[in-house]
Amino acid sequence: MEYTYLTPEIINKIEEYKKEFLTKEQVIIQALHLIYSKYRDITLDHMLELSNYLEVPLSQIEGIVSFYDMFRVKRNARHHIRVCKNLPCHIMGCKKLIELFEKLTGEERNQESKNGRFYIETVECIGACSVAPAFMIDDDLYDGTKITEEKLNEILSKYT
Amino acid sequence: MKSYPNIPNFYTYSSVNLLLRRCKEPRTVDIEEYITTGGYSALKKALNRFTPEDIIVLVEESTLRGRGGAGFPTGRKWRFAVSNSKPRYLVCNADESEPGTFKDRIIIERDPHLLIEGMIISAYAIGAERGFIYIRGEYPAGAKILENAIKEARERGFLGKNILGTDFSFDISVYRGAGAYICGEETALIESLEGKRGHPRLKPPYPVSEGLFGKPTVVNNVETLANIPIIVTYESYYMNIGPAGYYGPKLFPISGKVNKPGVYELTMDITLRELIDIAGGMKDGKKFKAVFAGALGLYSERDLDIPMDYSPKGFGGTGTTIVLAEDDCIIDSLIVIAEFFHHESCGKCTPCRIGSYELLNILKKFQEGTATEKDLQYLEHLGRNIPVGSICGLGYSAPNALMDALKKFKDEFIAHINKQCPAGVCF
């Protein structure tokens, strides 16, 4: 079968995982990470191809995608802003930070991106409570303790 | 060689300099530096001088308890596992996702070889040939660092076949989770590691007899495993660290309204009051109000002299400490916690799935000023019944903070019924 979404790089990596792990089921979540980071979304077509390639039932893959938070969000933007809203960040003022993000990017939290640059998601604890309110942009973690509008603008300008 | 990603700059402090010995600066210690500062000598000592049984006895004597929150004696867990047949698996639980907990990531990101060395010695003790590190999806840098470190260890012969010329073989794979708090529960973690939805299993059988792929599996927290090289190095001297029965260093992640939030390595004879003092005292000189500690229990000023150990009276748990000041509202905080548990409930047990939602809705009534005395009774009813009807730690601990609050901060609930918020947050 020809694969449209499973690129040769993804297939290579999946093959590595298949050698490393004990069963093919163990590869599913790791493979979904690869797909998600490339396409920023996991659609039925992606799941069908993966199910076909790994020879595991589609229902199992769909069950995983609907269970794990990181695969469920359909973000249609190039960059993913995750702002923690859990208790330590809440009492240290994450509400203001989220509002600041909304103001600077012109996007609304947890809503489809308007121009495809940023997606703002409010998430549970990201394990950075001493720099609360903490936030991540893509894979980078930032200290929100002394954040100002200028500083945030500067950070955002790195992500085009 | 140096291809480690950037890591966050958290404040750290250590009074005993064991777990955080190499974690002072925000950079990853590579294998060369690790070896020149005494790393992997515990592994050599373990393989050359001890039998697996010796190590289990050492760990039993050390009184080491699971640092992931439950506080189960590690030696006893291993003892159960070795009484079962091979193959056995060793799984490192690096899925720390409890609100306010960020201690494991310090070890993972700054001193990954300490964890790996701990895993190799543990695997030797329990007779495992295969190990997994289940790291939460929100730590992409941590996963990369661990993968690099494992590669380095393989190149030096610390991992793989016939480690250091012995007949002991062991290898580790990193497995990324994908954003589910419940996967920190050991049976849910195992389900997730098998490539399924992370639903906890009914216990017993416990993982030590039927775990990963139905085989005996030991699941230990990062901090627990990082203690193993220290125990092997210090042997009986380990018993000089900390109070009787709760020996060893402990990491305390402190956050909230203190002057120096961060990760603190201390011994377990410390009280909450001392802990807050060491963390620089209250931020901006504000008055202390409450603290979320242990298994997300809520404590007031009166509880400040309880020690942070695993005794029935102590705080136990992960060591997490979230400090609230006078301008933070208890109800508002409980709502955040309730939202968290509602969101993270896996949905397997109805009392947890629906109970956590109900709990959230009633708490919101208090914030909106529409609550009555009856709601207070209903909260108590829910708080009693959610743990009874759940099979895992998430359900057991979901109403912890609420039940504590109903005992210690009842006046706040009454004030909210009268449409007043003592902290001035809600109305």
Side-chain angles (χ1 to χ4, degrees):
Chain A
M1 184 184 152
E2 284 279 305
Y3 294 104
T4 331
Y5 300 104
L6 297 186
T7 58
E9 296 94 71
I10 292 180
I11 287 179
N12 280 343
K13 197 82 192 136
I14 288 178
E15 283 301 315
E16 274 177 38
Y17 285 136
K18 269 167 94 175
K19 272 185 217 132
E20 181 167 4
F21 291 114
L22 305 176
T23 63
K24 58 185 180 190
E25 282 79 10
Q26 278 194 303
V27 178
I28 301 174
I29 293 178
Q30 309 310 310
L32 286 171
H33 271 300
L34 298 175
I35 295 173
Y36 189 82
S37 63
K38 182 157 177 72
Y39 300 104
R40 308 190 292 261
D41 184 8
I42 292 170
T43 63
L44 188 62
D45 290 333
H46 298 144
M47 289 186 263
L48 266 170
E49 286 200 357
L50 187 64
S51 143
N52 195 292
Y53 187 81
L54 288 176
E55 294 176 325
V56 293
L58 176 66
S59 59
Q60 191 173 350
I61 295 178
E62 225 177 336
I64 286 172
V65 171
S66 65
F67 184 84
Y68 293 96
D69 279 1
M70 287 177 80
F71 301 142
R72 232 173 20 201
V73 179
K74 303 208 180 306
R75 64 189 170 98
N76 58 335
R78 291 191 296 281
H79 301 291
H80 190 182
I81 301 172
R82 279 182 264 206
V83 192
C84 177
K85 65 173 165 82
N86 214 306
L87 188 58
C89 293
H90 179 82
I91 60 175
M92 299 310 280
C94 73
K95 266 187 191 156
K96 271 189 195 150
L97 181 66
I98 296 167
E99 279 160 16
L100 195 57
F101 266 119
E102 288 181 330
K103 186 183 152 196
L104 294 180
T105 61
E107 306 289 351
E108 265 177 77
R109 70 190 83 168
N110 302 320
Q111 297 296 320
E112 229 173 71
S113 170
K114 285 168 207 143
N115 61 20
R117 185 169 162 212
F118 289 114
Y119 179 89
I120 306 172
E121 189 191 2
T122 56
V123 295
E124 298 297 352
C125 195
I126 52 175
C129 319
S130 73
V131 294
F135 60 96
M136 286 171 83
I137 303 181
D138 297 338
D139 284 354
D140 309 320
L141 179 76
Y142 288 96
D143 181 340
T145 43
K146 291 181 193 110
I147 210 83
T148 57
E149 196 170 325
E150 279 164 37
K151 269 193 201 164
L152 197 58
N153 238 335
E154 203 184 301
I155 292 171
L156 286 174
S157 65
K158 282 191 252 171
Y159 299 87
T160 50
Chain B
M1 190 72 192
K2 294 251 163 56
S3 57
Y4 286 120
N6 288 334
I7 56 171
N9 189 3
F10 294 148
Y11 179 76
T12 61
Y13 169 86
S14 174
S15 69
V16 284
N17 240 354
L18 292 164
L19 289 168
L20 297 186
R21 189 151 77 95
R22 302 180 188 86
C23 301
K24 303 266 158 59
E25 291 156 40
R27 63 187 180 88
T28 309
V29 171
D30 65 7
I31 196 158
E32 270 163 49
E33 191 183 341
Y34 185 72
I35 291 173
T36 51
T37 51
Y40 286 110
S41 58
L43 174 66
K44 285 175 194 156
K45 185 177 174 185
L47 293 182
N48 294 333
R49 288 189 26 210
F50 294 131
T51 62
E53 172 63 23
D54 291 340
I55 295 171
I56 296 177
V57 171
L58 263 182
V59 173
E60 277 174 335
E61 283 171 355
S62 75
T63 69
L64 178 67
R65 280 164 184 260
R67 300 285 201 247
F72 190 81
T74 307
R76 204 188 302 167
K77 195 184 245 183
W78 290 9
R79 181 70 68 197
F80 284 135
V82 292
S83 68
N84 293 307
S85 65
K86 281 189 182 182
R88 304 182 194 120
Y89 295 114
L90 175 67
V91 177
C92 169
N93 185 345
D95 192 63
E96 82 176 338
S97 351
E98 183 138 312
T101 312
F102 50 104
K103 63 184 179 66
D104 294 343
R105 86 179 293 160
I106 291 272
I107 298 176
I108 293 168
E109 289 174 347
R110 301 188 182 184
D111 200 4
H113 286 286
L114 182 69
L115 169 63
I116 291 168
E117 187 180 4
M119 281 188 78
I120 303 169
I121 300 172
S122 310
Y124 174 65
I126 62 163
E129 293 207 342
R130 200 75 168 79
F132 294 94
I133 301 176
Y134 187 100
I135 185 165
R136 63 182 301 205
E138 286 88 343
Y139 290 174
K144 268 191 208 115
I145 288 168
L146 284 171
E147 276 167 9
N148 280 348
I150 288 169
K151 215 182 277 168
E152 286 178 340
R154 269 186 210 138
E155 285 163 7
R156 302 280 182 121
F158 295 121
L159 278 173
K161 282 216 163 73
N162 302 100
I163 293 170
L164 299 173
T166 61
D167 57 359
F168 166 61
S169 304
F170 179 65
D171 212 343
I172 305 174
S173 303
V174 177
Y175 189 97
R176 284 186 73 195
Y181 170 63
I182 187 65
C183 293
E185 200 277 339
E186 57 178 3
T187 57
L189 185 151
I190 288 170
E191 286 280 305
S192 178
L193 191 51
E194 287 180 4
K196 299 179 195 153
R197 291 163 74 97
H199 284 183
R201 295 175 182 169
L202 200 60
K203 290 183 276 193
Y206 289 92
V208 283
S209 51
E210 277 178 47
L212 187 63
F213 303 117
K215 302 285 185 286
T217 305
V218 168
V219 184
N220 279 143
N221 175 261
V222 172
E223 195 190 334
T224 316
L225 291 165
N227 261 290
I228 303 298
I230 298 168
I231 292 173
V232 171
T233 305
Y234 288 87
E235 295 182 62
S236 58
Y237 290 105
Y238 187 81
M239 265 85 96
N240 294 332
I241 313 161
Y246 305 101
Y247 299 119
K250 174 85 192 80
L251 298 182
F252 295 100
I254 307 173
S255 56
K257 300 282 172 69
V258 288
N259 276 319
K260 283 189 279 179
V263 178
Y264 290 72
E265 182 188 17
L266 304 161
T267 52
M268 277 185 274
D269 44 5
I270 197 142
T271 64
L272 198 49
R273 192 185 300 278
E274 291 164 332
L275 193 60
I276 294 172
D277 279 344
I278 293 173
M282 297 298 294
K283 199 178 168 82
D284 305 330
K286 280 188 184 134
K287 230 180 118 218
F288 171 88
K289 182 172 203 170
V291 59
F292 284 87
L296 275 189
L298 183 63
Y299 299 90
S300 67
E301 181 123 38
R302 248 188 276 166
D303 308 310
L304 282 178
D305 294 311
I306 299 177
M308 306 288 287
D309 61 21
Y310 289 103
S311 60
K313 268 168 118 187
F315 283 106
T318 48
T320 301
T321 312
I322 309 169
V323 182
L324 267 59
E326 54 191 330
D327 54 353
D328 295 312
C329 172
I330 298 288
I331 305 288
D332 188 49
S333 308
L334 287 174
I335 288 175
V336 178
I337 296 290
E339 264 175 3
F340 170 72
F341 279 112
H342 164 56
H343 180 244
E344 297 296 344
S345 172
C346 77
K348 185 166 179 168
C349 312
T350 317
C352 173
R353 182 183 67 233
I354 298 179
S356 59
Y357 182 59
E358 277 293 288
L359 212 134
L360 173 63
N361 282 343
I362 298 165
L363 280 171
K364 276 188 178 158
K365 278 169 85 177
F366 281 89
Q367 194 168 43
E368 286 154 7
T370 53
T372 60
E373 282 281 338
K374 223 176 163 186
D375 290 310
L376 210 54
Q377 287 164 13
Y378 192 30
L379 275 183
E380 251 170 83
H381 171 79
L382 276 172
R384 268 199 313 273
N385 286 297
I386 292 172
V388 180
S390 308
I391 65 162
C392 85
L394 193 147
Y396 300 156
S397 59
N400 257 1
L402 171 76
M403 292 309 269
D404 287 342
L406 285 172
K407 265 184 240 141
K408 292 163 190 162
F409 294 95
K410 197 154 193 176
D411 48 333
E412 293 241 349
F413 287 90
I414 309 278
H416 279 78
I417 292 176
N418 299 325
K419 297 188 177 50
Q420 277 164 351
C421 179
V425 173
C426 299
F427 303 108

